[in-house]
Amino acid sequence: MLNDQKVSYSGVQPSGNLTIGNYLGAIKNFATYSEQYKCFYCVVDSHAITVRQVPAELRRRTYETLALYMACGLDPEKNTLYVQSHVPMHTELAWILNCYSMFGELSRMTQFKDKSEKHADNINAGLFTYPVLMAADILLYQTDIVPVGIDQKQHVELCRNIATRFNQLFPDTFTIPEPIISKSGMKIMSLAEPTKKMSKSDENTNAVVYILDDKDTIIRKFKRAVTDSDTAVRFAEGKDGINNLMTIYSCFTGKTLPEIEREFDGKGYGDFKMAVGEACADALAPVQEKFRQILADKAYLEEVMKKGADEASYYARKTISKVKRKVGFVI
Ligand code: AQP
């Protein structure tokens, strides 16, 4: 809570081209809080370097992610949009919170285990303490709600534990945040391996639909999506591929699962996949159009970044000063 207003905070890593998982699970929902909450939405570049990035690509994607936020409906006048590394209080608070976070609890994080397996040659300390930096991001703004996909719920729960521990030692320091998981787009799965999350860093680009894919590419990817040997479009255990496509179709059309089953009753997977591709491409077309316009104006994007960083710093500074005082630093 800041000045009697509830706070919404979230972020996306510029670690690859953004997917419909990032869109449906997170960004699309951010704008729903703009009117009632004080909203901070960050491009979390410091998190992105926990896996190796090509510097020029990281820089380009930082601009693109900010432009996508705006193309998805986030008005910079109503939301604080900024880049994480522009507000050094994030890393400053992360260090302090590191000293109040336990090795054991960090070792249990599933994302750390997954990413350690995926990047076995680079299991760096940043990857391990990633959730502490995320806790700092959230707690700096006295956040009430954190809209995220279900894969990030564990990290928000850890953040709550760290904040509660800190508050027990130093009362009234942090607001305890709640994760808000979007019901419809909870977890979008890979089109090639539907038991695995769709991720922007997946090397198999056919497994992932990017927000900026053109219509032909989107339809081709859905046509190739892995399904099963059954023919009925119905949501059921063991039909991971079809369940995933039904979830995606439901998110883009607003139709319920029973409505989708009725719509495709007696029709094959081919018709269904085509319809999912069309619905996805049609929904993304206006976002893509707006994205291109915004990205073309780099000076404007830089202005938004600067204004966002100034606004965020104002609030972040208040929290970091309080924290430093409480732990006994001379300030
Ligand atoms: N497949 C998904 N379904 C639903 N939500 C998803 N999110 C990510 N993938 C899905 C949500 O998007 C937000 C931003 O994610 P992130 O960039 O901070 O990190 P991530 O969760 O690690 O996303 P990726 O796409 O898998 O990135 P890489 O490949 O770099 O690790 C979060 O709210 C997340 O829940």
Side-chain angles (χ1 to χ4, degrees):
M1 187 90 85
L2 284 175
N3 301 337
D4 290 337
Q5 201 180 12
K6 288 208 167 190
V7 175
S8 171
Y9 178 92
S10 199
V12 175
Q13 299 180 75
S15 50
N17 295 323
L18 267 50
T19 73
I20 57 167
N22 300 129
Y23 178 68
L24 297 173
I27 304 175
K28 187 169 173 265
N29 311 311
F30 292 174
T32 54
Y33 302 102
S34 298
E35 298 297 336
Q36 284 169 334
Y37 287 74
K38 170 91 192 123
C39 294
F40 296 87
Y41 297 123
C42 184
V43 180
V44 290
D45 55 349
S46 304
H47 277 101
I49 62 164
T50 54
V51 304
R52 292 283 175 261
Q53 304 292 335
V54 175
E57 283 181 15
L58 178 63
R59 205 166 291 122
R60 173 175 56 77
R61 286 185 182 131
T62 300
Y63 283 94
E64 288 178 358
T65 305
L66 184 68
L68 263 179
Y69 276 179
M70 290 193 265
C72 292
L74 291 177
D75 177 348
E77 296 304 321
K78 293 187 181 154
N79 304 271
T80 301
L81 308 179
Y82 69 103
V83 176
Q84 187 181 27
S85 64
H86 293 178
V87 181
M89 286 69 94
H90 285 249
T91 40
E92 219 180 334
L93 180 59
W95 173 256
I96 297 174
L97 295 182
N98 266 321
C99 303
Y100 295 86
S101 305
M102 299 301 141
F103 181 85
E105 62 190 351
L106 292 177
S107 310
R108 287 193 289 276
M109 295 295 108
T110 51
Q111 180 176 288
F112 173 67
K113 291 182 201 163
D114 292 348
K115 291 209 169 170
S116 301
E117 242 172 65
K118 217 162 135 191
H119 305 280
D121 56 337
N122 182 26
I123 307 174
N124 61 70
L127 196 60
F128 187 66
T129 58
Y130 179 114
V132 184
L133 178 57
M134 183 166 156
D137 300 339
I138 296 167
L139 299 177
L140 258 186
Y141 302 98
Q142 305 295 347
T143 298
D144 295 276
I145 60 160
V146 189
V148 280
I150 191 127
D151 60 311
Q152 291 295 336
K153 190 166 177 242
Q154 193 186 34
H155 285 166
V156 182
E157 273 159 7
L158 177 71
C159 167
R160 287 167 58 86
N161 292 341
I162 297 170
T164 305
R165 181 177 304 135
F166 199 94
N167 280 354
Q168 273 161 1
L169 290 166
F170 309 108
D172 302 323
T173 308
F174 297 123
T175 302
I176 308 293
E178 290 283 343
I180 303 282
I181 314 293
S182 86
K183 280 193 187 69
S184 50
M186 289 227 311
K187 196 170 185 181
I188 304 301
M189 311 307 276
S190 151
L191 298 189
E193 291 174 73
T195 51
K196 212 179 90 182
K197 187 182 85 147
M198 184 182 283
S199 270
K200 59 176 116 64
S201 58
D202 195 325
E203 280 166 13
N204 179 2
T205 54
N206 285 319
V208 180
V209 178
Y210 302 104
I211 301 177
L212 299 175
D213 273 345
D214 62 46
K215 186 165 187 170
D216 288 349
T217 308
I218 292 175
I219 288 175
R220 178 176 52 76
K221 287 181 176 177
F222 279 114
K223 272 190 185 162
R224 285 192 189 172
V226 168
T227 49
D228 52 60
S229 54
D230 186 19
T231 50
V233 176
R234 63 192 169 84
F235 200 93
E237 214 178 310
K239 287 170 70 77
D240 300 313
I242 287 295
N243 294 349
N244 188 35
L245 295 185
M246 286 180 75
T247 304
I248 294 171
Y249 190 61
S250 168
C251 290
F252 281 120
T253 60
K255 293 176 186 168
T256 63
L257 298 177
E259 281 169 351
I260 298 169
E261 288 181 348
R262 278 197 296 280
E263 183 180 349
F264 292 94
D265 188 22
K267 295 185 187 154
Y269 285 174
D271 286 346
F272 176 52
K273 286 177 170 181
M274 192 65 194
V276 182
E278 295 269 358
C280 174
D282 290 350
L284 294 180
V287 173
Q288 296 177 353
E289 174 61 30
K290 216 164 160 203
F291 167 80
R292 277 188 282 273
Q293 286 168 9
I294 295 167
L295 193 71
D297 193 347
K298 200 173 170 196
Y300 172 57
L301 274 174
E302 284 172 349
E303 217 176 276
V304 170
M305 274 180 194
K306 164 100 181 54
K307 175 176 161 294
D310 289 346
E311 272 169 24
S313 297
Y314 171 78
Y315 295 104
R317 220 171 271 125
K318 288 190 177 187
T319 301
I320 197 79
S321 300
K322 175 155 91 167
V323 169
K324 283 181 176 175
R325 223 177 17 251
K326 294 219 177 201
V327 298
F329 291 173
V330 175
I331 56 168

